[in-house]
Amino acid sequence: GFPPIPATSEWSLSDDAKYVHICANETIQGVEFKTDVVPANGAPLIADMSSNFVSKPIDVSKYGIIYAGAQKNVGPAGLTVVIVRDDLIGNARADCPTMQNYAIMAENDSMYNTPPCYSIYMAGLVFDKLNKMGGLEAVEKVNIEKCAHIYDAIAGSDGFFNCPVDMTCRSAMNIPITIVNEDADKRAELEKAFIAEAGDLGMVALKGHRSVGGMRASIYNAMPIEGAEALAAFMKEFKAKHA
């Protein structure tokens, strides 16, 4: 399984590092930083938040750059949200492509080229909805409740199901699920049956990433609580049928 994320004081960082980069939520393994990180070497923190952006509140002041592809929680693919600390703008190398030069983007209000208008419009609708829900504090509560249904189903399966990620860093967005069986062929057979039977009930895209195997439930903001409840109920039924 995936071990706990070490404390930042244990990270091996170069004293002269220009920045420290993290992936705030790793979708394949289902690992998420649960708190804002402060690098021990004082370098600016750069975070890829593509898969957990606007899923919970964050302290933006602790980051040098936050970037997030829209396709998980914000809107259609083709849009990237970038938040850059003012003092990091204007330091691009001479060979930096224009579209990745934040000074040019800032000088042109992010419209140096024709922007993806539809994607921006859809993102605006999503942001309006999140505000009407009560803001990111309310969104986080919903996401915690959603993932709890599935993690509780794993914990209550008497060892039939497993989540191979330490409890301190389990993702609220992506939940890997495996079936415990010493017989590899039997385990593969059960996991294949799980995916097929879930599909018959309208629960799709549960196959785990090819590098990990098993199953994976991706429950981004758009997934309603009822979806997580349905999966948890199916897991209990599947265990009763196949254990």
Side-chain angles (χ1 to χ4, degrees):
F2 197 95
I5 297 175
T8 54
S9 60
E10 300 176 20
W11 294 8
S12 179
L13 301 174
S14 302
D15 292 335
D16 61 348
K18 297 297 184 183
Y19 62 88
V20 174
H21 182 280
I22 65 169
C23 179
N25 180 73
E26 197 278 319
T27 62
I28 296 174
Q29 303 280 359
V31 178
E32 181 176 21
F33 283 92
K34 293 299 183 181
T35 58
D36 294 308
V37 177
V38 179
N41 64 354
L45 180 64
I46 314 299
D48 175 358
M49 293 190 179
S50 294
S51 56
N52 67 348
F53 189 65
V54 297
S55 70
K56 61 182 180 180
I58 58 170
D59 184 351
V60 175
S61 68
K62 292 184 178 179
Y63 297 84
I65 298 176
I66 293 170
Y67 66 95
Q71 66 274 9
K72 298 294 197 300
N73 276 333
V74 176
L79 173 69
T80 301
V81 177
V82 183
I83 303 171
V84 188
R85 206 171 67 198
D86 287 342
D87 64 295
L88 297 180
I89 295 176
N91 301 310
R93 298 187 341 184
D95 59 351
C96 179
T98 299
M99 299 308 298
Q100 293 177 306
N101 188 324
Y102 297 138
I104 292 176
M105 286 298 166
E107 290 166 2
N108 291 275
D109 295 326
S110 298
M111 292 185 288
Y112 178 80
N113 64 326
T114 303
C117 299
Y118 178 74
S119 296
I120 293 173
Y121 171 73
M122 293 299 294
L125 296 180
V126 171
F127 296 148
D128 285 344
K129 178 184 177 182
L130 299 183
N131 280 328
K132 290 176 181 176
M133 288 176 62
L136 294 187
E137 291 82 5
V139 173
E140 181 181 31
K141 290 179 181 179
V142 172
N143 286 325
I144 290 173
E145 181 179 349
K146 282 194 300 187
C147 68
H149 284 297
I150 301 172
Y151 284 126
D152 288 349
I154 295 172
S157 69
D158 299 319
F160 183 83
F161 292 109
N162 180 52
C163 175
V165 182
D166 189 85
M167 293 185 69
T168 61
C169 56
R170 287 182 175 179
S171 172
M173 299 283 99
N174 311 94
I175 304 174
I177 306 167
T178 58
I179 292 176
V180 180
N181 196 300
E182 294 182 358
D183 185 330
D185 291 336
K186 180 62 175 178
R187 181 171 64 251
E189 178 184 323
L190 286 169
E191 290 176 346
K192 184 177 180 179
F194 182 98
I195 294 167
E197 292 180 25
D200 291 339
L201 297 174
M203 291 178 278
V204 298
L206 285 169
K207 186 177 181 179
H209 190 273
R210 60 184 178 277
S211 66
V212 176
M215 292 78 70
R216 177 180 55 170
S218 291
I219 50 173
Y220 298 113
N221 282 359
M223 173 62 68
I225 289 177
E226 291 79 6
E229 291 174 337
L231 177 57
F234 168 70
M235 290 170 67
K236 294 175 184 178
E237 294 170 3
F238 187 87
K239 183 252 181 177
K241 179 180 177 181
H242 294 279

